Amino acid sequence: MKMASPEEADAVTQVFWNLNECMVPRGVDPRKIGPYIKRFVESYGYMGPLTITAFGVLTGFPDSILRGLYSGGINLSHVPAGHMDNISDHITLFTETEPAQANIISISEPDPGLSSWFGHMMGYNFLQPFSSYHVSFMNFLLEAASSDSEEDSEAETVDSAYWECFVCNRDPPAKGFENLKTHLDGEEHQELMLNWLPTSQRSYASPPPRNSDSHLKELPFMSIPLPPTEPTEIDHKAVTCVFWDIIKCPVPPGSDARLVGPSIKRFLETSGYSGPLTITAVGVLTQVPIDILRGVCSSGIALVNVPYGSGDIQLLRAVFAKNNPPPANFVIISDPDSDFPPAPRYGHLLLPSLPTDVGEPDDDKCSETGACSCHVCSAGYLGHSFQNFEDFATHLSSRAHQRRMLDYVPRNVRVSGQRRT
Ligand SMILES: [Zn+2]
Ligand SMILES: [Zn+2]
């Protein structure tokens, strides 16, 4: 994380933590986490007024965890499953009342789209200190567990935190952990909770389980987490799915885009992969010259246009995994700084650059063009697919597509705006 400049040092600092994506590990005293985050933030020179807010479907967490976080000075926001569970929703609400001199720290899966929106476009000092939510933030929590607690308990008081319920849209936020418990169990809250459930589930008073398919569909585009596990041995005979981050690892200048497909294929063949192979180029494709895209597509590589970029690869991988049970392998071509945790039970290979070799375009394969789809304009995860490359190219330059692309981040502004009406 970058050190505070003199102006940033005195400015308001707001930390948002997506609790849904990360459980507090066993053995970590939740009371220590708030003070530890505070010390972490101050160690980078951010000394202004600090607020830490954790949001999630709070009814899914043990009371002891919530009580501990709260007594450590962390505000708690209860959200209905599938709504307001994207960190950008909460940041957007914050930016509606705070001028751009504030520091915003996001504790969630890192998302370059959020940096460019809240940082570059809106002018906040937007920070994502944990390069991998599951590994580096988990380590941070374990460090918090071994931190000195005596000093902490003096510094924090139980009354410093507040709670908020986005099911009931209570205004203003309330205080007292016992009041939160009473509220979540209360009749008024339970009744309003029903409004958030799909019609088919309204006979039940609890939110849909997080693993169910219906919930998966409601998740925002980027937030399907994959738990950290040991990578599985690669099964070279199994199906192999290559995701190529075409923005971070572009076709080198002067080289023939039609050679990329055959080069990747030859590279994997000489590395022993003998199973069926699919290659998909993923990115904000309007940033890639159209001739490059045409060449790539003609060599049999599928093109997928996504709203954010490399972060979307994890979602595409999750969709592929859903339809292709193990054994199967994922090969991800992205820059060396990218952090892709292996998918559990799948083979995993991260290539830091595009395999290149000298050769001629494979004329036999010229007719096998890759499939093209746009995930910006589709309602579901399969993407809006196109019959051929020229239709796809026309779509990407169309006003309809460009409007959808522009809407992508500001959509959250509309979502949060509904609270006021
Ligand atoms: Zn409520
Ligand atoms: Zn589109």
Side-chain angles (χ1 to χ4, degrees), residues 374 376-377 395 401:
C374 178
V376 172
C377 298
H395 170 77
H401 170 78

Side-chain angles (χ1 to χ4, degrees), residues 246-262:
I246 193 172
I247 304 297
K248 286 193 176 158
C249 295
V251 177
S255 54
D256 189 339
R258 292 171 300 168
L259 293 176
V260 176

Side-chain angles (χ1 to χ4, degrees), residues 121-341:
M121 298 288 288
M122 296 187 73
Y124 289 87
N125 180 29
F126 184 78
L127 303 159
Q128 300 185 100
F130 300 102
S131 63
S132 157
Y133 187 52
H134 287 289
V135 180
S136 52
F137 186 58
M138 194 64 82
N139 285 338
F140 177 85
L141 291 178
L142 293 170
E143 281 167 25
S146 55
S147 66
D148 182 8
S149 65
E150 280 182 313
E151 180 196 323
D152 301 335
S153 51
E154 285 167 28
E156 297 299 325
T157 62
V158 181
D159 284 341
S160 59
Y162 61 81
W163 59 267
E164 200 167 358
C165 178
F166 283 90
V167 172
C168 306
N169 284 337
R170 293 164 55 98
D171 231 2
K175 291 218 166 204
F177 185 76
E178 291 310 319
N179 294 337
L180 169 61
K181 275 190 65 187
T182 311
H183 173 81
L184 292 180
D185 292 336
E187 219 170 275
E188 186 199 349
H189 170 83
Q190 300 274 347
E191 209 157 288
L192 283 164
M193 191 73 217
L194 296 180
N195 295 337
W196 291 98
L197 296 179
T199 324
S200 60
Q201 294 180 9
R202 291 221 174 138
S203 47
Y204 306 104
S206 57
R210 285 196 62 77
N211 300 332
S212 76
D213 276 357
S214 68
H215 183 72
L216 195 69
K217 289 193 194 93
E218 287 171 4
L219 280 172
F221 204 75
M222 288 212 42
S223 55
I224 295 183
L226 291 163
T229 43
E230 289 300 310
T232 311
E233 282 280 305
I234 285 174
D235 181 340
H236 287 94
K237 292 196 186 89
V239 60
T240 294
C241 175
V242 180
F243 289 115
W244 166 30
D245 185 337
I246 193 172
I247 304 297
K248 286 193 176 158
C249 295
V251 177
S255 54
D256 189 339
R258 292 171 300 168
L259 293 176
V260 176
S263 297
I264 294 174
K265 203 165 164 244
R266 268 195 292 273
F267 172 82
L268 291 174
E269 276 167 7
T270 54
S271 309
Y273 291 79
S274 58
L277 179 67
T278 62
I279 308 173
T280 305
V282 183
V284 180
L285 297 183
T286 42
Q287 295 173 6
V288 182
I290 199 76
D291 290 340
I292 299 277
L293 292 179
R294 186 179 286 114
V296 165
C297 185
S298 75
S299 73
I301 295 180
L303 300 176
V304 174
N305 183 56
V306 292
Y308 296 111
S310 49
D312 294 316
I313 288 176
Q314 282 198 40
L315 181 91
L316 295 171
R317 187 173 69 172
V319 172
F320 182 91
K322 218 165 162 265
N323 299 319
N324 295 272
N329 309 308
F330 289 109
V331 175
I332 294 174
I333 305 172
S334 191
D335 72 355
D337 295 334
S338 302
D339 203 348
F340 288 98

Side-chain angles (χ1 to χ4, degrees), residues 62-118:
D63 272 1
S64 57
I65 296 281
L66 298 177
R67 190 191 300 274
L69 294 174
Y70 191 82
S71 70
I74 296 181
N75 303 327
L76 298 174
S77 292
H78 176 63
V79 301
H83 300 272
M84 283 299 286
D85 59 0
N86 193 328
I87 204 157
S88 64
D89 297 335
H90 294 264
I91 299 172
T92 300
L93 264 187
F94 172 78
T95 59
E96 283 176 4
T97 54
E98 274 299 324
Q101 282 80 31
N103 309 304
I104 300 174
I105 298 177
S106 168
I107 303 179
S108 182
E109 202 57 59
D111 178 354
L114 294 185
S115 285
S116 58
W117 179 253
F118 293 111

